[in-house]
Amino acid sequence: MAYTNKLQLVYGDGTLGLASDGFHYIFSYERGGLESLKINGKEWLYREPMPTFWRATTDNDRGSGFNIKSAQWLAADTFHQCVGIDLTVDGKHFDQLPIAPLNNDYSDHEEAEAVTIKYSYKTLTVPATDVTVTYDVTADGQIKVTMHYQGHADLPELPVVGMRFIMPTTATGFDYTGLSGETYPDRMAGATKGTFHVEGLPVTKYLVPQEMGMHMATEAVTITRNSTQNNADHDDQPFSLKFAQGETPFAFSCLPYTAEELENATHLEELPLARRTVLVIAGAVRGVGGIDSWGADVEQQYHIPADKDIDFSFIINAK
């Protein structure tokens, strides 16, 4: 039987709310991203998902000087400048965002079958380049996320190109369909394809914290939590959220730390207490090298040149 429900729209003073049975999303104009992703009463976002361009450097990165040559991508990963927002509802494009006082023209029972909201960013690099993130939302709660990185010849090579989701509490584990174990573009030969379960959010005990936990060629990953930051929520039963591939498989890491937190720690004990889940879904990942740690670069086919456009997509399933 066809799905006949529609999205309920709330045109707020500075936000767009989308809701239906079991889910409620809030897209912020002021904060430049998806502000709330609530499914079955459980909030999945601690911060707005943002483009990510940095993975914590490795001994090999530092040995080859890659961290110095590409350092401005760390700033672009930390701070984001949203320069434009486009909204389309059931095929109608808004020439002006329906913010106050324009939102007074709408009722409290607006509906739609499909909504597209596109955020445009300028990277904080010299020179800057353009990045767009598009959310296509359908009445069943599915969100297709598409990221486009505009290549620029005058920028240094990238460590990663992806989207970062920070979730409010630590995951109890995750299940994924893809390659076994930790894999990188130049560390895939020994992996096998299948469906795997990972308990908790394991952190490799490097003496100096660095990049870890990537999984290449992933078809889907499901994150499971059993706690929220809502003090009135006493339900500790597990709840999950699935991210599936769009047109092609993606890479992902699921850790209790951001790349910046790993980068900032010079020893394992300097890392903060694990309290959140950091999911990175990537369309491109630089290799980790390992020929030696004293100057050898990653092999050429495992670089991410800055002058090439990068597009990838994935789907968030609310049901």
Side-chain angles (χ1 to χ4, degrees):
M1 182 168 58
Y3 193 89
T4 57
N5 285 357
K6 290 189 175 183
L7 291 165
Q8 300 168 14
L9 277 64
V10 177
Y11 293 106
D13 288 349
T15 60
L16 174 68
L18 303 179
S20 189
D21 184 30
F23 65 87
H24 187 194
Y25 310 146
I26 298 176
F27 292 90
S28 174
Y29 306 138
E30 180 183 2
R31 299 182 65 85
L34 176 59
E35 188 173 50
S36 177
L37 180 69
K38 187 173 287 188
I39 299 172
N40 295 324
K42 308 289 188 179
E43 178 60 67
W44 278 94
L45 296 181
Y46 180 77
R47 289 285 187 269
E48 295 78 18
M50 286 292 169
T52 183
F53 307 104
W54 191 260
R55 60 157 177 76
T57 50
T58 65
D59 290 338
N60 299 314
D61 292 327
R62 293 186 286 271
S64 66
F66 173 74
N67 58 328
I68 304 300
K69 290 179 285 188
S70 294
Q72 59 182 307
W73 287 117
L74 177 57
D77 189 82
T78 305
F79 305 104
H80 301 86
Q81 182 184 21
C82 182
V83 295
I85 302 172
D86 289 292
L87 176 63
T88 302
V89 176
D90 281 346
K92 175 192 173 184
H93 180 259
F94 283 76
D95 294 328
Q96 284 184 280
L97 290 175
I99 58 176
L102 299 178
N103 59 329
N104 293 326
D105 294 337
Y106 297 91
S107 70
D108 60 356
H109 53 271
E110 301 290 336
E111 293 182 333
E113 294 182 354
V115 172
T116 297
I117 184 166
K118 180 172 75 172
Y119 291 92
S120 298
Y121 305 92
K122 283 284 187 185
T123 60
L124 300 184
T125 53
V126 181
T129 192
D130 299 315
V131 175
T132 61
V133 177
T134 303
Y135 298 89
D136 291 299
V137 188
T138 50
D140 58 357
Q142 177 178 283
I143 306 175
K144 183 178 182 181
V145 185
T146 303
M147 179 174 170
H148 171 73
Y149 162 83
Q150 181 67 45
H152 199 301
D154 296 323
L155 287 169
E157 293 180 358
L158 293 121
V160 69
V161 176
M163 287 287 293
R164 179 176 57 229
F165 291 77
I166 302 181
M167 301 171 183
T169 58
T170 54
T172 59
F174 55 92
D175 298 87
Y176 72 96
T177 300
L179 300 180
S180 60
E182 181 182 77
T183 50
Y184 287 86
D186 51 356
R187 291 290 187 279
M188 295 171 60
T192 58
K193 189 173 181 179
T195 299
F196 306 95
H197 173 73
V198 177
E199 193 71 20
L201 297 173
V203 174
T204 306
K205 294 184 178 180
Y206 294 116
L207 179 62
V208 178
Q210 53 192 281
E211 166 64 18
M212 65 183 80
M214 191 63 69
H215 302 273
M216 303 296 297
T218 303
E219 297 175 12
V221 57
T222 299
I223 313 299
T224 300
R225 296 160 51 215
N226 64 3
S227 64
T228 69
Q229 288 188 329
N230 181 359
N231 293 331
D233 182 2
H234 303 296
D235 177 14
D236 60 358
Q237 293 302 304
F239 54 97
S240 301
L241 183 60
K242 181 179 180 180
F243 298 77
Q245 73 174 56
E247 285 73 22
T248 58
F250 56 79
F252 83 94
S253 66
C254 192
L255 298 167
Y257 305 116
T258 64
E260 287 79 8
E261 287 173 322
L262 291 170
E263 198 75 71
N264 192 51
T266 58
H267 291 87
L268 190 65
E269 62 271 18
E270 294 177 9
L271 289 170
L273 292 175
R275 62 198 187 280
R276 302 186 188 102
T277 302
V278 180
L279 172 69
V280 170
I281 297 183
V285 180
R286 177 182 168 88
V288 292
I291 299 170
D292 62 52
S293 296
W294 303 278
D297 202 351
V298 174
E299 292 185 6
Q300 191 60 43
Q301 64 266 38
Y302 306 122
H303 291 219
I304 307 177
D307 62 346
K308 303 295 184 183
D309 289 9
I310 297 172
D311 295 271
F312 73 99
S313 63
F314 54 93
I315 295 167
I316 304 174
N317 289 301
K319 302 295 184 180

